[in-house]
Amino acid sequence: MAYQHIEVTPLSGACGAVVSGIDLSEDLDEQRLGEVRRAFHENLVIFFRDQDLTEDEHKAFGRRFGSLNVHPRYIPIEGHPEIIPIRKDPEHTDNIGGVWHQDLTHLEEPPLGSILYALKVPSSGGDTMFANQYLAYEALSGGMKDLLNGMIAVHDNVIQSPKISADKNTTRASKLREDIEEEDEPEMEHPVVVTHPDTGRKALYVNSIRTRRFKEMTAEESKPLLNYLVEHSYKPEFTCRFRWEKGSVAFWDNRCLMHYALNDYPGQRRYMNRVTVNGARPVA
Ligand code: SIN
């Protein structure tokens, strides 16, 4: 069905589309919002160019899709607990999100998605890649799908434990809280294959940074299959790649998409603000 209010231009055959004809700083009417929602569900990540958003407008757009997450670890920007800075300065070597992942899958209710707004971008580099996890699931053999459909994975947030956070804080511009104990964020079980609550499609739901093992198996026993699934999940044919400009916005669906921020702009500055929308408990 054609769109009436927006234009939607796909970025690759797998996922991602640039949406034009919309100003995200406005209070969108239900027709426009409905079309944005449809573009989001059809493309999994949507991009907007040349936006000019205050922090409040950024949050207001996020709230049209649900309540906003306060990140358990990242220190937010001043006065806006729901906005985390995704920043890299010339002197920093490490970036945020430089590994294929979904956000916060150790939570009981992991995010619906995130809205990233570009404030400063490098002259080249700093793109973000996305990988479609419906396609990752659908590309598996029938036998593998049968096996995975009965399985549960255990997720944790050891990647942001106090010791690791302290180390990361020395090499990164965006800072993690160091006052949270590992016990404050317990392990969480989620199905290995989830059914998207809005589209009804099945998606692979494991990642290398927070999926520790399969339920009733040790980490060592889980490793071969987990490694296979993680590497399978970002095959090039499942991906798209977005080149940022100042004022670009990306809104991705964390329930069916992985993302990866490229760290290929040494000595340059890249500043983004991220708002994350809360989601529901994943179901098989
Ligand atoms: C992230 O949220 O993982 C960072 C993505 C990016 O900076 O492109």
Side-chain angles (χ1 to χ4, degrees):
M1 197 170 53
Y3 291 93
Q4 304 298 315
H5 303 284
I6 57 175
E7 270 179 51
V8 179
T9 310
L11 203 60
S12 83
C15 58
V18 177
V19 173
S20 52
I22 204 144
D23 177 351
L24 300 183
S25 70
E26 287 175 359
D27 187 19
L28 301 178
D29 59 42
E30 282 308 319
Q31 280 97 344
R32 279 185 168 68
L33 193 68
E35 292 203 345
V36 169
R37 211 183 286 280
R38 176 151 76 89
F40 178 66
H41 288 145
E42 287 176 359
N43 298 283
L44 290 61
V45 52
I46 49 178
F47 307 102
F48 307 85
R49 296 280 188 200
D50 302 319
Q51 301 294 318
D52 188 6
L53 298 178
T54 63
E55 286 85 359
D56 285 334
E57 287 163 349
H58 188 177
K59 292 194 294 188
F61 178 63
R63 284 200 179 99
R64 301 302 297 271
F65 300 90
S67 61
L68 300 187
N69 171 270
V70 174
H71 199 284
R73 296 285 175 162
Y74 276 108
I75 298 175
I77 65 168
E78 208 174 329
H80 298 277
E82 312 89 341
I83 299 183
I84 58 167
I86 306 278
R87 295 198 178 170
K88 185 167 178 255
D89 282 314
E91 67 273 24
H92 290 116
T93 47
D94 202 6
N95 74 334
I96 311 294
V99 60
W100 281 106
H101 66 288
Q102 289 124 331
D103 295 322
L104 300 175
T105 57
H106 69 292
L107 297 181
E108 184 173 1
E109 297 184 336
L112 174 155
S114 283
I115 301 162
L116 193 63
Y117 173 48
L119 302 167
K120 279 189 204 316
V121 298
S123 55
S124 63
D127 297 358
T128 307
M129 296 188 70
F130 298 87
N132 180 333
Q133 297 308 291
Y134 297 138
L135 292 185
Y137 172 73
E138 287 159 13
L140 295 168
S141 66
M144 182 61 93
K145 284 179 186 156
D146 287 346
L147 172 71
L148 299 181
N149 271 302
M151 291 180 74
I152 300 290
V154 179
H155 298 245
D156 65 35
N157 202 27
V158 168
I159 188 84
Q160 291 176 343
S161 64
K163 163 80 179 74
I164 294 176
S165 296
D167 289 348
K168 284 182 174 168
N169 283 345
T170 64
T171 58
R172 286 181 171 185
S174 296
K175 304 295 182 201
L176 290 153
R177 291 174 58 178
E178 293 175 31
D179 59 343
I180 296 178
E181 299 305 322
E182 265 173 55
E183 307 80 74
D184 295 339
E185 292 191 283
E187 289 186 335
M188 193 55 59
E189 294 177 0
H190 295 306
V192 170
V193 177
V194 297
T195 302
H196 194 286
D198 299 312
T199 66
R201 291 177 71 184
K202 287 188 171 200
L204 193 57
Y205 197 70
V206 291
N207 63 80
S208 68
I209 61 171
R210 291 195 175 89
T211 313
R212 200 59 49 215
R213 60 186 173 84
F214 299 114
K215 188 177 176 183
E216 289 161 15
M217 288 171 73
T218 65
E220 195 183 3
E221 289 165 343
S222 305
K223 214 169 168 181
L225 179 56
L226 200 48
N227 284 353
Y228 166 75
L229 293 174
V230 164
E231 279 176 32
H232 167 80
S233 69
Y234 48 77
K235 283 191 172 149
E237 57 269 34
F238 308 148
T239 69
C240 73
R241 177 169 174 153
F242 184 63
R243 168 88 200 110
W244 292 92
E245 295 165 4
K246 182 177 183 302
S248 299
V249 172
F251 178 20
W252 66 81
D253 193 330
N254 196 54
R255 303 161 296 182
C256 54
L257 201 67
M258 307 256 268
H259 57 285
Y260 177 99
L262 275 83
N263 188 8
D264 58 350
Y265 51 99
Q268 296 195 66
R269 192 164 267 125
R270 183 180 184 271
Y271 281 11
M272 310 267 176
N273 276 350
R274 194 181 95 182
V275 160
T276 295
V277 181
N278 289 319
R281 183 152 199 174
V283 291

